[in-house]
Amino acid sequence: MTNSPYATARALQQLADEEKHRELRPDELRYALGALDPEQLLSGLPLTVGRIVQTLLTAKNRLSQRDLADQAGVSTRTIRNYRNRFEAFDLIQIDETGYRLALSFQTTSERRDPVGPPVLEVNQTLLDAADAFLETLLPPARYSDPR
């Protein structure tokens, strides 16, 4: 999600030091990444994508498409244009109540029952995620072309 290892390190510096080693919780990752500037997020895509992701990282709850567009300073059309890419990498979850990033909010309930992208689940591989992503980018004839 970041444009460099330096941006990742900068994000993680937002977290307090701890003496005991433990796994990073999804809500802590959300907080750390939310401290980055939009241009440091998904830099291979237009800046508007970074603004959308940064808005979702700092949101306290689900956002309607209109609220997301307003807070990110983009159009609702831009959000719709990138929806397939976000969904292909399981970065966002969309339902009738709105959009959310697939990382836990900083709430007690989501700390106990963490929310994370399905791509991080044991039964899905990085190849599965890349496959879904390429399927949204390439026309069907090119996607199945072995060359």
Side-chain angles (χ1 to χ4, degrees), residues 25-27 104-115:
R25 294 188 322 254
D27 64 296
S104 299
F105 290 114
Q106 289 192 305
T107 63
T108 305
S109 64
E110 290 200 0
R111 281 187 198 128
R112 276 191 237 117
D113 188 19
V115 174

Side-chain angles (χ1 to χ4, degrees), residues 19 22 43 129:
E19 292 180 22
R22 66 174 179 84
S43 60

